[in-house]
Amino acid sequence: MRFSLALAMTQPGRIVALSKAAEAAGWHGVTMPESVFYPEEVSAKYPYSADGQRFWPSDADWVDPWVAIPAIAASTERLMLGTNVTKLALRHPLLMAKTVGSAAAMFPGRIELGVGLSWIPEEFAWLGQDMSTRGVRLDEQVDVMRKVLAGGWVEHHGRFYDFDRMRMDPAAEPSVPIHIGGHSNAGLRRALLRGDGWIGAQGDLAAVREVIGRLGELREQLGDDVRVPAERFEVKLTPIVAPTVDAMEELAALGVTEVITVPWYFYGDDPEDPKAQDEAVARFGDEVIAPMAKR
């Protein structure tokens, strides 16, 4: 099992420092979530809270992942860097491929991409995108990005995106893993058909067990149409469990391959205090990551 530090709502000046601390403490990677803007009024419920309300303040810091990732990569040596998740349905896939491919060429083997849909109607409306087609567009967007990121001359003639022979250099070498989010059956199916893995939001042990069960059932239904075999399929999420080796081993037994977490919420100190953040990153490394690596 691998462990990635989630830098959600992190002060801009702390992002590189925390990433360096994570590398020193033995973390596998760092992930950056995305929020484009905060509508004062939102016309949909947040899908990952019991009451449907956003749990973060309106002035929370959300640094653009693809600004932060190159800065982190240049300041560290081995951390994997990715998103949990980039809201690909809000973007043109060729421009996103240019960004991701450039980062992957500059930092080979260290870049991965988590993609999702976005649940906020205002994001689609104000960015000029159609929310009603977001699922089928995401399918085609992933196809386009894989084709372009592979390098060489390519063309594409689809329902939403159409271009003649072109190439985009530099190409990503090695290839960029794409993990696909979404807790609905449609999202899980998309991850199995088009992804190198599934990337989820927060959930307790019962929720983790339930979603992994559905992934297994859908894999059986899809059969040979799945993109990668079960032994290479990643399951990455933020589990709401105790920061202990026993809890992580229980997750690993269920099939979780990577835990994405924010350790400074575990230990009772002020989560906004830089010293507490650094200590939590190191403590989680000592008490969870190192013992798990030995096992």
Side-chain angles (χ1 to χ4, degrees):
M1 175 180 281
R2 297 179 297 276
F3 297 89
S4 284
L5 178 66
L7 294 178
M9 296 174 281
T10 302
Q11 293 179 349
R14 291 289 293 148
I15 286 175
V16 169
L18 283 167
S19 300
K20 289 180 177 179
E23 184 166 69
W27 291 69
H28 168 75
V30 165
T31 63
M32 295 293 302
E34 178 176 60
S35 178
V36 183
F37 48 75
Y38 188 102
E40 185 173 8
E41 300 291 336
V42 66
S43 56
K45 292 184 176 181
Y46 179 64
Y48 305 116
S49 66
D51 61 2
Q53 299 301 307
R54 294 170 285 183
F55 61 83
W56 57 94
S58 60
D59 61 351
D61 290 318
W62 295 85
V63 172
D64 185 285
W66 295 101
V67 172
I69 284 172
I72 297 168
S75 304
T76 57
E77 295 182 359
R78 59 161 188 82
L79 286 177
M80 284 295 295
L81 304 165
T83 52
N84 66 322
V85 293
T86 290
K87 297 176 180 180
L88 185 54
L90 301 176
R91 292 173 168 78
H92 196 290
L94 288 181
L95 289 175
M96 193 74 252
K98 187 64 177 180
T99 296
V100 175
S102 296
M106 291 178 68
F107 307 101
R110 296 181 61 194
I111 304 297
E112 55 190 12
L113 176 66
V115 301
L117 292 171
S118 175
W119 60 277
I120 304 176
E122 285 73 17
E123 283 188 330
F124 289 92
W126 300 348
L127 293 172
Q129 301 296 323
D130 181 5
M131 188 171 186
S132 68
T133 61
R134 60 181 181 158
V136 288
R137 280 193 298 108
L138 183 58
D139 291 342
E140 189 173 338
Q141 287 173 314
V142 172
D143 293 345
V144 167
M145 288 193 65
R146 285 198 184 279
K147 188 181 293 187
V148 173
L149 287 172
W153 292 97
V154 297
E155 61 183 284
H156 180 85
H157 305 285
R159 175 180 171 185
F160 300 100
Y161 306 101
D162 187 277
F163 53 87
D164 294 327
R165 276 173 55 81
M166 52 82 85
R167 58 184 300 147
M168 186 179 289
D169 293 287
E173 181 61 41
S175 62
V176 176
I178 300 178
H179 305 109
I180 300 177
H183 287 241
S184 68
N185 280 346
L188 300 182
R189 187 178 294 108
R190 180 176 297 115
L192 289 165
L193 291 173
R194 286 181 163 82
D196 298 293
W198 174 76
I199 186 167
Q202 64 270 16
D204 60 17
L205 188 62
V208 173
R209 184 179 291 109
E210 188 273 337
V211 77
I212 290 178
R214 281 194 288 135
L215 275 167
E217 292 170 2
L218 288 168
R219 176 176 286 278
E220 289 186 8
Q221 294 174 17
L222 294 170
D224 293 339
D225 290 333
V226 297
R227 173 175 168 78
V228 298
E231 60 269 20
R232 290 199 288 114
F233 188 80
E234 301 287 340
V235 176
K236 304 152 62 89
L237 46 73
T238 301
I240 304 173
V241 299
T244 65
V245 169
D246 288 345
M248 299 306 160
E249 288 193 330
E250 190 167 8
L251 291 168
L254 289 175
V256 176
T257 61
E258 184 171 326
V259 166
I260 301 170
T261 193
V262 186
W264 45 87
Y265 290 107
F266 290 141
Y267 302 119
D269 295 319
D270 179 4
E272 301 299 323
D273 177 27
K275 183 173 183 290
Q277 292 175 346
D278 291 341
E279 289 176 350
V281 169
R283 179 175 173 181
F284 192 89
D286 290 340
E287 296 181 2
V288 178
I289 296 175
M292 286 290 290
K294 290 179 181 178
R295 297 192 182 192

